[in-house]
Structure formats: structure tokens, C-alpha cells
Amino acid sequence: MPTVTVTKHFLLLLCITSSLCFSSFALAPSTIQSCANYAFPNNREFASCVDLLVLNSFLHWTYYPSSSTVQVAYRHTGITSTTWVAWGINPTSKGMVGTQALITHQKSDGTIDAYRSPVNSYKTQLLEGNLSFKVSYLSAMVVNQEIIIFATLELPKNTSTINYVWQDGPVLGNVLGMHSLSGQHLQSMGTLDLSSGISMPTKGGNSKAKLRNVHGVLNVVSWGTMMPIGMLLARYLNPSNPLGFYIHVTCQCLAFIIGVVGWATGVALRLKYSGVHHTDHLAIGTIVFCLAIPQISSLWLRPQRDHKYRSYWNTYHKFLGYIVLALGISNVFIGYKILNLAKGWEIAYYVIFGALLFALVVLEA
């Protein structure tokens, strides 16, 4: 195993870490679009708009308070011909059941179908039906993998705040399938003040989304980034130099502490919120957590350098470390799939992962 000076490798890893931080913050925002500078193909204009938090969606509207009428345009980007899209208002509660929805999708003959559908239960098949308020001028169009629903809604008198829901799902032939039950599909609801333009996510969904995001960030930083860097430090810093040892220990201890908090937030999500759970993701995370405990404990429990079993312990410590590394990084990618975030965040971690592999190749050379 090659050994080189502490200074050379520390500077190399410092440069890599700095570039990773830059990539993480620079790449993700580049995928964000804004409704404010959007020009509709048919030159329609709306007084207000809001960038919805999930599912690459945007809402434009013009509100007429004297008649409680609102003209809306709901845009959903990144769709295919086999995707249905829905946006609706729930006049009775927050959430899916009770939503008065506008549905659109591309039919097998290529035409665009737009219709009304009341959502009365979680087992809805999104069949066409009458809504609790009048909807006129309902239409839809597809432009560059973006579908737009236009409609004019006549709301109950003095209605200025609405609970709204948006969603997408698969189309099989002309049959609308069930939408995903994970990630952003469980966060696509909010409250909108039509007069002020202030949009707020539904509180229950928002608190869960925040906890999920915190869980994701903590585990990406710990198991997905700091732990691999700590292992690179252990492999390539001179083991006889105390500075190299303490840098490795500090990095791994910080990674473990952050990882424990990340694992705990995952357990809290499982216990606090009902609905869909990802047992495989939690199981892998728990295995990583359990295997990391003896790794960290070795700071106090390892044999002395001249002990006859020290070589066996070194082999065990490295082997267990590689298992933790492989499972931890794998679980990060599983987590990205579950959260279904904007592509920029996933690309950012690919850059981090690629930089770590690059460092490994350079240091092995």
C-alpha cells in the first residue's frame, strides 16, 4: 500500500472536498425554473403565479374577487405521453379526498383529453363527473413535454383562500393508473391566498417533508461523504504519523455522530407518520448503524500495535469498514430514489461520488 506525505494528501483531499461543496450548491439550483418569466404559447397572461414545491409544477391565475371567479393555468413539466396530470381544489379539507379535480392526459390516438373528476375516496379511478362548483373553458395542451390545464372556476362567494392538490401518474392505454405513493407525490398539496399570492404547503405534509429532507441531508453528509473521505484518509495517510491518525478518527467520529442523528430521524419518520414505509431502506440503514458501532468503538478497544492479534484486528477493521462504506453509499442512492428530488440534487451527489472515485484512482497511482 503506497504511503505519501500527510501534506500532499491532505491538500488533495481538501481540494476535492471544496470542489464537492461547490458542486452541490452550484448544480442543484441550476435545475430550478421560475413561473415569473414564462410566456404561454397562446399569449395568455395571468396576474399571479407560484412555483409549486414538488413535481416540477407551476400555477398561474387571475382572481376576480367581486365574482369569486379565478382563471387558472396549471403547468406540469417533464411529462410523457403516458402520464396523466391533475390539479384541483379541496373545498372541505386539506388533502386528496374531497378534491374537485381537473384531469388531463394524452389518449392513445394522440388527442388531449381534459375533464372534471370529484375525488371521493382514496380508491378513486378519476372518473369523469360533476364538481361542487362551476368550471368553464376547460382545456389542455402539450408543449415540449409540458402539459398545461386551462380553466375558469366559479368559487363560492367570498372565497379567497383555497386548499389545492396536484398530482401525476401513469396511463396504460386510456386507463389512468395509481400515482406513486412515495417522495414528492405525498407532498403535493398546499394552501393558496388568491388575493395576496401567498402559497403555503399543507402543514402535516410540510413537517414530514422537512424531516425527510433533514434525514436525507444528514445521511448524505455522513455515510455518503464524510465516511468515505475518512476511509481514504486512513488508507493513504502515513499510519505512523499521529496527525494522520487523528484526522482519520476526527472525520469518522463526526461522520458517525451525524449518521446516528440521520438514522434516528429515519426511525422517527417510521414511528411518527403512517402511510407508505420503505422497509428495505430502513433495514439497510439500521445494519449500517449497527456495524458502525464496533468500528467507532475500536478507538478504545483495539489491541496494542505489538499485540499478536493486531494484524487480525486490522484485517477485521478494514473489512468491516468496507462493508459499512458499500452499504452506506448504496442506501444513499436508494434514499434519492425514494425522495424523488429534482435531478440536480442527485447529479450533485454523483459528482461527489465521482470525485471520491477520482481521488481513489489518483492516490492508488
Side-chain angles (χ1 to χ4, degrees), residues 81-82 105-108 171-176:
S81 59
T82 58
H105 67 95
Q106 188 170 344
K107 301 172 73 172
S108 57
V171 177
L172 307 174
N174 287 326
V175 178
L176 277 58

Side-chain angles (χ1 to χ4, degrees), residues 276-348:
V276 178
H277 296 297
H278 305 277
T279 305
D280 54 343
H281 182 61
L282 179 60
I284 295 173
T286 301
I287 292 172
V288 170
F289 167 69
C290 293
L291 293 179
I293 292 176
Q295 287 293 88
I296 295 298
S297 300
S298 64
L299 179 62
W300 302 279
L301 302 178
R302 68 187 185 280
Q304 296 296 323
R305 286 186 178 276
D306 56 353
H307 196 282
K308 63 179 180 178
Y309 293 124
R310 178 61 182 246
S311 61
Y312 298 107
W313 180 88
N314 287 339
T315 302
Y316 144 80
H317 185 62
K318 291 178 182 178
F319 180 72
L320 192 59
Y322 291 141
I323 293 176
V324 171
L325 178 66
L327 290 177
I329 292 177
S330 298
N331 219 25
V332 167
F333 285 111
I334 293 173
Y336 267 111
K337 185 176 180 181
I338 292 172
L339 285 176
N340 193 25
L341 297 171
K343 278 293 182 183
W345 296 107
E346 190 170 358
I347 292 172

Side-chain angles (χ1 to χ4, degrees), residues 29 31-40 48-61 73-77 87 146 164 166 184 187-192 197-201:
T31 63
I32 298 175
Q33 301 181 39
S34 173
C35 67
N37 54 12
Y38 182 79
F40 285 92
S48 306
C49 72
V50 63
D51 302 335
L52 303 183
L53 295 179
V54 295
L55 297 181
N56 302 315
S57 300
F58 310 86
L59 181 65
H60 303 250
W61 75 94
Y74 168 71
R75 298 169 41 224
H76 195 111
T77 65
W87 180 87
E146 174 177 276
Y164 65 105
W166 66 102
Q184 298 185 12
Q187 305 168 24
S188 53
M189 61 187 77
T191 300
L192 174 66
I198 297 176
S199 177
M200 296 293 293

Side-chain angles (χ1 to χ4, degrees), residues 82-103:
T82 58
T83 303
W84 61 261
V85 166
W87 180 87
I89 292 175
N90 191 330
T92 58
S93 63
K94 297 178 180 180
M96 172 181 163
V97 176
T99 296
Q100 308 298 294
L102 308 177
I103 314 292

Side-chain angles (χ1 to χ4, degrees), residues 84-253:
W84 61 261
V85 166
W87 180 87
I89 292 175
N90 191 330
T92 58
S93 63
K94 297 178 180 180
M96 172 181 163
V97 176
T99 296
Q100 308 298 294
L102 308 177
I103 314 292
T104 187
H105 67 95
Q106 188 170 344
K107 301 172 73 172
S108 57
D109 61 5
T111 59
I112 305 299
D113 189 18
Y115 63 92
R116 306 157 183 81
S117 178
V119 180
N120 298 318
S121 73
Y122 287 111
K123 296 182 179 180
T124 180
Q125 296 180 340
L126 297 178
L127 300 177
E128 187 170 359
N130 295 323
L131 304 186
S132 62
F133 49 80
K134 184 178 179 180
V135 176
S136 56
Y137 303 106
L138 175 60
S139 64
M141 64 188 304
V142 176
V143 181
N144 298 326
Q145 292 189 318
E146 174 177 276
I147 198 162
I148 309 173
I149 301 176
F150 297 99
T152 299
L153 315 178
E154 296 184 22
L155 303 176
K157 289 293 183 181
N158 301 318
T159 298
S160 61
T161 300
I162 59 172
N163 301 315
Y164 65 105
V165 177
W166 66 102
Q167 196 56 263
D168 67 38
V171 177
L172 307 174
N174 287 326
V175 178
L176 277 58
M178 182 68 177
H179 66 76
S180 172
L181 296 176
S182 65
Q184 298 185 12
H185 294 271
L186 299 181
Q187 305 168 24
S188 53
M189 61 187 77
T191 300
L192 174 66
D193 188 319
L194 295 169
S195 298
S196 67
I198 297 176
S199 177
M200 296 293 293
T202 298
K203 289 185 178 179
N206 189 38
S207 61
K208 182 178 180 180
K210 285 183 178 179
L211 188 58
R212 285 162 64 100
N213 291 338
V214 169
H215 168 73
V217 169
L218 290 173
N219 286 291
V220 167
V221 171
S222 58
W223 311 114
T225 305
M226 291 188 67
M227 193 69 72
I229 290 176
M231 295 184 74
L232 286 174
L233 289 167
R235 181 171 176 82
Y236 297 106
L237 293 181
N238 191 335
S240 63
N241 190 315
L243 177 60
F245 171 76
Y246 287 119
I247 292 175
H248 163 68
V249 168
T250 301
C251 188
Q252 298 302 74
C253 286

Side-chain angles (χ1 to χ4, degrees), residues 253-272:
C253 286
L254 288 174
F256 178 74
I257 293 170
I258 297 171
V260 168
V261 179
W263 173 78
T265 58
V267 174
L269 281 166
R270 177 65 181 256
L271 297 177
K272 186 175 181 180

